[in-house]
Amino acid sequence: MSEDNLKAVCIYARNQKGVLKDIAGTFADHNANIVMIHLETIHGRNEDAYDELYIEYEGDVHQDNLLTALHELSGVRDVIQHVSFGDIYGKRVIIIGGGAQVAQVAMGAVNEADRHNIRGERISVDTIPLVGEKTLSQAVDAVTRLPRVEILVLAGSLMGGAVSESVDRVKAAGIPVIALNMAGSVADHADLVVTDPIQAGVFAVMHVSTIAVFDVNRVRGRRF
């Protein structure tokens, strides 16, 4: 099922043993398959610990029956229906690297995303400026654990070693990688190398767009 058909709810439930099991079981009982869950502990006015569970699910589900059943669970305080993150924020472009380069790539990506989103698409841009081989490697590896990521852009002057190994793992997970033309071995591991940071951002958004004609897979291994 496509992300456009995902439904979402936010459940406020008491933080105690067995509550999460009951919630998951209720979704299964109503033919709903959970595809994403985010849990965060908050506190009520009486300092009672509550979990805020954001859940996205799919399936041929009778919404009213599911919401009623969730409300009736012991320990559940409230259930709020939402639009899924995919419908709101859409496909994600992740930009990681040095501050100045990240800013330029983001400029190109945001401007291009605006051109597509104004026509009804949903493409969002996430950035983080980082330094250090270990820090960059951890951030690149974490990309595979983020939801809705469609492409990664590495923006910096020097990247290699463990970062290149992380790039290979991201690519193996099916996420293409664009790198700026930089010193180090990362440029040799990326799918595409682009000298102009603004153009790199534009390329990234054009790749994830459903209406653009650019495809990283068709120019893999080239340098621009």
Side-chain angles (χ1 to χ4, degrees), residues 10-218:
C10 196
I11 302 170
Y12 296 89
R14 194 174 297 279
N15 187 335
Q16 60 189 29
K17 183 171 64 178
V19 172
L20 183 58
K21 176 185 175 182
D22 293 339
I23 291 172
T26 301
F27 276 90
D29 291 342
H30 288 77
N31 199 37
N33 179 47
I34 295 174
V35 298
M36 174 186 174
I37 182 168
H38 174 82
L39 185 151
E40 184 173 355
T41 298
I42 58 177
H43 290 84
R45 292 181 177 178
N46 298 322
E47 296 304 313
D48 291 331
Y50 278 88
D51 287 338
E52 179 185 67
L53 291 89
Y54 171 80
I55 297 176
E56 292 189 358
Y57 59 97
E58 62 184 4
D60 185 13
V61 183
H62 192 291
Q63 284 290 98
D64 292 340
N65 290 347
L66 173 61
L67 296 178
T68 298
L70 290 170
H71 270 290
E72 292 175 348
L73 290 176
S74 175
V76 171
R77 186 180 68 182
D78 199 6
V79 182
I80 302 173
Q81 192 171 356
H82 289 291
V83 178
S84 72
F85 281 149
D87 289 333
I88 298 172
Y89 292 108
K91 303 171 182 177
R92 298 174 73 182
V93 176
I94 307 295
I95 306 168
I96 298 174
Q101 292 92 340
V102 164
Q104 291 298 301
V105 174
M107 181 186 301
V110 169
N111 286 340
E112 183 69 13
D114 180 66
R115 189 170 71 87
H116 292 278
N117 291 347
I118 204 170
R119 292 170 172 80
E121 289 197 83
R122 287 292 184 271
I123 301 171
S124 56
V125 181
D126 296 285
T127 68
I128 181 168
L130 294 170
V131 295
E133 180 180 343
K134 182 178 179 180
T135 303
L136 286 166
S137 176
Q138 290 174 341
V140 172
D141 275 324
V143 167
T144 61
R145 304 196 298 271
L146 294 173
R148 308 184 325 278
V149 175
E150 295 288 333
I151 195 165
L152 168 66
V153 184
L154 292 176
S157 300
L158 172 62
M159 294 185 192
V163 182
S164 297
E165 296 172 2
S166 297
V167 167
D168 290 338
R169 289 189 286 269
V170 169
K171 291 168 57 180
I175 301 172
V177 179
I178 295 176
L180 296 188
N181 195 5
M182 66 179 81
S185 60
V186 157
D188 296 326
H189 290 252
D191 291 295
L192 180 66
V193 177
V194 183
T195 300
D196 182 357
I198 293 179
Q199 188 64 48
V202 172
F203 276 159
V205 171
M206 289 179 67
H207 172 78
V208 306
S209 169
T210 57
I211 59 176
V213 296
F214 180 78
D215 186 348
V216 167
N217 297 313
R218 298 178 64 180

